[in-house]
Amino acid sequence: EAGVTQFPSHSVIEKGQTVTLRCDPISGHDNLYWYRRVMGKEIKFLLHFVKESKQDESGMPNNRFLAERTGGTYSTLKVQPAELEDSGVYFCASSRRGDEQFFGPGTRLTVL
Amino acid sequence: QQQVKQSPQSLIVQKGGISIINCAYENTAFDYFPWYQQFPGKGPALLIAIRPDVSEKKEGRFTISFNKSAKQFSLHIMDSQPGDSATYFCAARVADTGRRALTFGSGTRLQVQP
């Protein structure tokens, strides 16, 4: 069984630019989560999809972040415009129901 | 405000020794406490988890001790091996069937010296 995949693995952009991160969950997993770890700090929850619906988006920092999961398969997280404080590692995770969450390798975003 | 506080930030242990990582929480609504292990370049992977109805859970060399009254839980790695060198995160989740967000500690970088 293939694991959670994320693309790109690294992204370096200028402040004010737009970046789109992609996550492909494990096949059959209806639940998809986005998390972020800012340098050396805790991993923070951003949002949770159940299929294509946003179940919980209480962790989204502001309206510069837009997450979508059209068709209930892969998900994208767009940051527009990016700010310096958006730098960090963005993790995606998926789960079949509400049980164990399987994490992807993350996308390291650097905003200069 | 960090809801799950983890210590130490880093830990160096000799091979064969015991590694101990501690976490404390404030939210009494938490009812699921997993530990994740992360190797460089990989995502966190579930190592072991506990619910508050038990005080200890053991899986191989890994043990979680849970103290509900003190709102603390800890990970013990017995007979630590160089292959255990990784970053460890404690986490917690509220008892709400709709909310599945994990609240993480800040992580502990463990180095096991041969």
Side-chain angles (χ1 to χ4, degrees), chain B residues 18-85:
Chain B
I18 302 174
S19 303
I20 301 174
I21 304 171
N22 300 297
C23 285
Y25 64 96
E26 291 296 325
N27 189 347
T28 55
F30 287 146
D31 79 331
Y32 172 68
F33 301 88
W35 283 89
Y36 281 80
Q37 179 188 55
Q38 183 186 19
F39 293 106
K42 305 288 186 182
L46 180 64
L47 185 63
I48 186 173
I50 197 169
R51 294 193 181 274
D53 53 346
V54 297
S55 60
E56 185 175 282
K57 183 175 181 180
K58 183 176 181 179
E59 289 184 3
R61 296 184 294 108
F62 300 90
T63 299
I64 300 178
S65 296
F66 186 82
N67 186 329
K68 188 174 181 178
S69 61
K71 293 187 285 187
Q72 294 175 347
F73 58 111
S74 59
L75 176 69
H76 293 63
I77 306 174
M78 311 301 287
D79 186 27
S80 299
Q81 299 296 312
D84 297 330
S85 298

Side-chain angles (χ1 to χ4, degrees), chain A residues 32-74:
Chain A
L32 187 148
Y33 314 81
W34 283 99
Y35 292 85
R36 175 175 72 174
R37 189 184 191 204
V38 173
M39 178 89 73
K41 300 203 172 182
E42 71 272 25
I43 300 172
K44 281 194 171 181
F45 167 79
L46 297 178
L47 89 159
H48 168 206
F49 283 100
V50 177
K51 297 184 180 179
E52 67 274 10
S53 299
K54 292 176 184 175
Q55 176 76 15
D56 179 359
E57 50 185 329
S58 61
M60 294 288 266
N62 52 61
N63 58 10
R64 295 185 294 103
F65 289 75
L66 175 63
E68 295 181 321
R69 193 183 182 197
T70 307
T73 53
Y74 71 91

Side-chain angles (χ1 to χ4, degrees), chain A residues 35 37 55-56 98 101 103-104, chain B residues 43-44 93 98-100 102 106:
Chain A
Y35 292 85
R37 189 184 191 204
Q55 176 76 15
D56 179 359
Q101 295 181 23
F103 282 75
Chain B
R93 191 180 69 198
R99 296 198 65 230
R100 292 289 163 182
L102 291 168
S106 54

Side-chain angles (χ1 to χ4, degrees), chain A:
Chain A
E1 177 180 77
V4 176
T5 58
Q6 294 186 243
F7 183 83
S9 57
H10 294 84
S11 181
V12 180
I13 61 172
E14 299 277 337
K15 175 184 172 181
Q17 289 185 322
T18 298
V19 63
T20 300
L21 314 181
R22 172 171 170 145
C23 168
D24 286 79
I26 294 172
S27 178
H29 282 195
D30 288 341
N31 294 273
L32 187 148
Y33 314 81
W34 283 99
Y35 292 85
R36 175 175 72 174
R37 189 184 191 204
V38 173
M39 178 89 73
K41 300 203 172 182
E42 71 272 25
I43 300 172
K44 281 194 171 181
F45 167 79
L46 297 178
L47 89 159
H48 168 206
F49 283 100
V50 177
K51 297 184 180 179
E52 67 274 10
S53 299
K54 292 176 184 175
Q55 176 76 15
D56 179 359
E57 50 185 329
S58 61
M60 294 288 266
N62 52 61
N63 58 10
R64 295 185 294 103
F65 289 75
L66 175 63
E68 295 181 321
R69 193 183 182 197
T70 307
T73 53
Y74 71 91
S75 175
T76 58
L77 180 64
K78 180 190 287 187
V79 185
Q80 178 183 29
E83 298 289 345
L84 299 178
E85 64 264 25
D86 301 332
S87 295
V89 180
Y90 289 77
F91 292 105
C92 175
S94 71
S95 67
R96 188 172 298 279
R97 296 182 183 85
D99 48 11
E100 178 182 352
Q101 295 181 23
F102 295 84
F103 282 75
T107 293
R108 182 174 295 276
L109 174 64
T110 302
V111 182
L112 302 176

